[in-house]
Amino acid sequence: MKKMIIASLLLTTSAWASPQIIAHRGGTADAPENTLPAIQLALENRAQAIWVTVQLSRDGVPVLYRPSDLSALTAAKGNVSQYIQAELATFDAGAKWKEKVAGTTIPTLKAVLERWPDVHFYIDIKSPDADPAEMGKQLLGVLKETNSLARVRVYSTEDRYLDALPAEVPRFVTRSETRTRLANISLNHVCQTPAKKMDAYWYGLELNRKVEVVEKFTLGDGISPATLTWDKEAMDCFRSQGNAHVILLGVNSAEDYQKAQTLGADGVMVDSPAQARAWVK
């Protein structure tokens, strides 16, 4: 019955929010991140998609957890890769949350996809020590087993994980290419073409991203702070290069949501779906 209720919720809310509201780590400001209760709450707060962070256990199982060390969120210590999945399932990822929440053990990606078969998920690979080819293999296995290839898209801040994905796994354009192209538009007003031909281009980057600009001089480098920001020129450039979809990260205020809406972004990643409900009119 729970699955039927959730599916109905998505059908009735999918049209009301544009850009799409995406719950960052399941809504990291509202509940213990990357846990089943967080995802459930995000959907109740009308999130239209869920962004989850995935690492590999020692026995090669994709599980939901983001920090590099388990001590950040649990009572355990060490990397996720030091433990088999059965051990990780006993750790409470809500141990350091401001209040006790039931059911916050570290879930597997498979369990999440099976529990919410009608929800769209963005999967962010954050595994610091996993072999990229092994990560791709295990991800593909889970996506096929749960019949989820049509409702997921994979992201990573590290190009090597996207480059190693099997061809059939939907993915974002690499972060480095997205950042470089946005920098050329923002700083040089140069619209670059994509590095390779794709049927659809999915881009994910912060609405405002602080960077350092390095200038090369005869006597050394000059380094200056700068902020890359999406504007109409940037959005028009990305849209002009084919079937492009832009997901803006770090949208956590009504002002930023309205800007993303004006720009015509396809989705915004928010920390608090509970707060985001008030932004949609």
Side-chain angles (χ1 to χ4, degrees):
M1 180 62 70
K2 183 178 292 184
K3 291 181 180 178
M4 293 177 64
I5 293 172
I6 292 171
S8 175
L9 173 67
L10 290 179
L11 287 173
T12 57
T13 61
S14 60
W16 65 261
S18 181
Q20 180 187 59
I21 299 293
I22 305 166
H24 183 208
R25 299 180 232 155
T28 184
D30 297 336
E33 64 180 54
N34 285 310
T35 64
L36 302 183
I39 296 171
Q40 178 64 51
L41 182 60
L43 294 171
E44 291 172 1
N45 281 316
R46 298 188 178 184
Q48 293 162 282
I50 307 294
W51 187 286
V52 294
T53 316
V54 169
Q55 300 192 44
L56 281 187
S57 66
R58 194 177 79 202
D59 49 343
V61 179
V63 298
L64 273 58
Y65 193 80
R66 179 182 180 275
S68 58
D69 196 289
L70 287 162
S71 63
L73 300 178
T74 79
K77 295 181 180 180
N79 294 339
V80 166
S81 60
Q82 293 177 237
Y83 299 86
I84 62 172
Q85 184 273 319
E87 293 172 312
L88 294 168
T90 67
F91 300 156
D92 183 4
K96 300 187 179 180
W97 185 251
K98 54 191 174 183
E99 59 189 31
K100 180 64 178 176
V101 178
T104 55
T105 53
I106 297 175
T108 66
L109 177 62
K110 179 184 175 183
V112 168
L113 294 174
E114 287 180 337
R115 181 163 178 173
W116 289 284
D118 301 301
V119 175
H120 190 101
F121 284 90
Y122 296 95
I123 301 171
D124 187 359
I125 301 174
K126 289 287 188 188
S127 208
D129 52 4
D131 174 69
E134 181 65 15
M135 172 62 83
K137 173 185 174 183
Q138 297 300 336
L139 268 182
L140 178 60
V142 171
L143 297 179
K144 282 186 172 181
E145 188 176 358
T146 58
N147 195 31
S148 300
L149 281 168
R151 62 184 179 105
V152 302
R153 190 156 299 272
V154 178
Y155 180 90
S156 181
T157 55
E158 297 185 67
D159 294 1
R160 62 194 180 113
Y161 285 110
L162 295 182
D163 292 340
L165 287 175
E168 57 264 59
V169 177
R171 73 203 69 192
F172 281 80
V173 173
T174 63
R175 182 178 175 88
S176 61
E177 180 180 341
T178 304
R179 183 179 58 241
T180 298
R181 290 183 60 196
L182 183 60
N184 274 290
I185 300 166
S186 298
L187 304 178
N188 300 320
H189 303 286
V190 174
C191 183
Q192 291 182 306
T193 58
K196 59 182 178 180
K197 181 70 174 176
M198 300 174 69
D199 292 334
Y201 302 92
W202 284 76
Y203 302 98
L205 200 70
E206 286 79 5
L207 175 61
N208 300 295
R209 179 63 177 172
K210 295 186 182 299
V211 297
E212 289 186 338
V213 177
V214 180
E215 295 181 275
K216 298 292 184 180
F217 300 110
T218 303
L219 298 179
D221 296 341
I223 302 176
S224 305
T227 299
L228 302 182
T229 187
W230 292 85
D231 56 17
K232 185 178 184 303
E233 179 187 17
M235 195 66 75
D236 287 348
C237 169
F238 277 79
R239 297 289 193 199
S240 72
Q241 303 299 327
N243 181 15
H245 305 266
V246 178
I247 305 297
L248 298 179
L249 314 183
V251 175
N252 288 309
S253 70
E255 180 182 6
D256 281 350
Y257 178 79
Q258 290 165 5
K259 180 178 180 180
Q261 192 173 49
T262 299
L263 289 172
D266 295 275
V268 293
M269 189 170 74
V270 307
D271 288 342
S272 175
Q275 292 181 3
R277 293 183 65 168
W279 307 341
V280 181
K281 298 179 181 180

